[in-house]
Amino acid sequence: MTMTDEEYGALRASAALWAGTSVLITNRCGDVLVQHVDYLETCLLPGGGVDAGESPARAAARELREELGVTAVVERGLAVDWVSAASAAAPAAMRFPGELLHVFDGGTWDEERIGAIRLPEQEIEDVEFVEPARLPELMTPRDARRALSALRARVHGAGAVLLEDGLPLAPTVLDRVGVLRTPRARRPAADGLAAERSQRWLFAPDGRVLVLLDPATGTAFLPGDTPLPQGDGVGGGLGDAGGVSFAALAELGQGQWEAVPGSPYVRVLATPEQALELLDRGAPAEDLLAAVHHAREGLGLPRAARQAVTETGGAGTRDVNVG
């Protein structure tokens, strides 16, 4: 059917969508900034509607100025979410057509930047940083799904993801396991590397480390953080000694390690930085991260570039004295 320009324009207008934007911001412990607003009982990420003729990224930066009093460049996307009319549960009178909501990465804010937040006189009553596992209790289900999916995309490191009603179209291993839905262990500030329980950082040849994910809870562990099944294939006696130790994985086998039947954990390789995002919510972990990289250098291994977290199988280990 041939349409005139006017008919084509009217058709496009009838199918128009609302465009929204939000910004995911964390502190140095990995907690997420949420806003308490005066028009909802639930919390929101910073953000709002995209004005006519405005790009989503510019809208995100504008909302940060208006809602938090902070000027920031917003340029890295984490997710684009198709919000259906059915999931929004909007009244029929609002004629909600659906929404494309862009989630941007606001980065990790230090105490100085957090202290610079200035709230407007109306709309935003308060802000707080919360453990990711608390988002479902503070936000609507669809907003919490979106925020957690965007946070997992940030940790995963493979770029922005496409969502439908907050759920990824192509779930990663972090999505499938549901990481960050359970509160992470709080690591107390400590002198040196003393710890109440053993941690074993096991390095692959490319400088990444082995992390165990529990599908039952979404919790991430290092070998030694939790008892391992007998014959799990990641070395024996990992929980016997206190403190932090390091070892090199003896063989990578092109990433195809043989999984041990009956093991409850999903094994992934992640950079040390990604591992701490999944594991730690205590004092900023620069001290531990520096020790991890010092050990990596002692093992003669490269520093892994940030890349997608990858699922793998079992492994043998070779202990190395790093002094």
Side-chain angles (χ1 to χ4, degrees), residues 66-290:
E66 294 176 356
E67 297 182 343
L68 301 180
V70 172
T71 299
V73 176
V74 180
E75 56 190 5
R76 182 184 174 214
L78 292 176
V80 178
D81 190 13
W82 157 245
V83 183
S84 68
S87 74
M94 292 179 65
R95 303 188 182 194
F96 184 80
E99 178 180 8
L100 286 178
L101 200 149
H102 300 252
V103 185
F104 289 92
D105 189 354
T108 299
W109 288 17
D110 58 20
E111 292 301 319
E112 180 179 359
R113 197 168 196 189
I114 294 170
I117 293 175
R118 297 293 181 268
L119 301 182
E121 294 183 1
Q122 296 181 329
E123 185 178 347
I124 312 301
E125 296 181 329
D126 195 11
V127 298
E128 65 173 322
F129 284 88
V130 302
E131 167 70 14
R134 291 192 59 210
L135 294 176
E137 74 182 64
L138 296 172
M139 309 176 84
T140 66
R142 68 175 184 276
D143 288 346
R145 289 195 300 269
R146 182 187 311 116
L148 283 170
S149 292
L151 183 58
R152 289 171 187 144
R154 183 212 261 189
V155 176
H156 184 60
V161 296
L162 296 177
L163 312 176
E164 286 190 0
D165 292 329
L167 297 175
L169 293 178
T172 68
V173 62
L174 302 186
D175 297 308
R176 296 199 312 271
V177 173
V179 298
L180 301 174
R181 60 188 161 97
T182 298
R184 295 163 294 162
R186 179 179 292 275
R187 180 178 64 88
D191 295 329
L193 294 178
E196 293 181 358
R197 55 186 179 179
S198 172
Q199 285 191 341
R200 176 66 65 90
W201 290 79
L202 301 179
F203 290 94
D206 66 356
R208 289 186 292 172
V209 295
L210 180 65
V211 179
L212 309 178
L213 307 178
D214 186 346
T217 63
T219 305
F221 301 98
L222 288 178
D225 261 349
T226 186
L228 299 178
Q230 186 69 26
D232 191 48
V234 294
L238 299 184
D240 294 342
V244 180
S245 56
F246 306 94
L249 291 167
E251 296 180 358
L252 185 61
Q254 302 298 318
Q256 300 300 316
W257 297 336
E258 183 179 353
V260 175
S263 172
Y265 302 125
V266 174
R267 297 168 175 81
V268 297
L269 288 177
T271 67
E273 290 76 11
Q274 289 168 316
L276 282 176
E277 290 178 72
L278 295 170
L279 293 164
D280 195 286
R281 70 168 302 247
E286 288 90 343
D287 55 345
L288 179 55
L289 190 59

Side-chain angles (χ1 to χ4, degrees), residues 200 202 236 238 245-248 299 317-321:
R200 176 66 65 90
L202 301 179
L238 299 184
S245 56
F246 306 94
L299 292 166
T317 63
R318 171 175 55 87
D319 286 333
V320 177
N321 183 2

Side-chain angles (χ1 to χ4, degrees), residues 12-28:
R12 286 171 61 95
S14 69
L17 296 173
W18 181 261
T21 186
S22 61
V23 184
L24 185 115
I25 298 164
T26 56
N27 62 14
R28 293 164 67 193

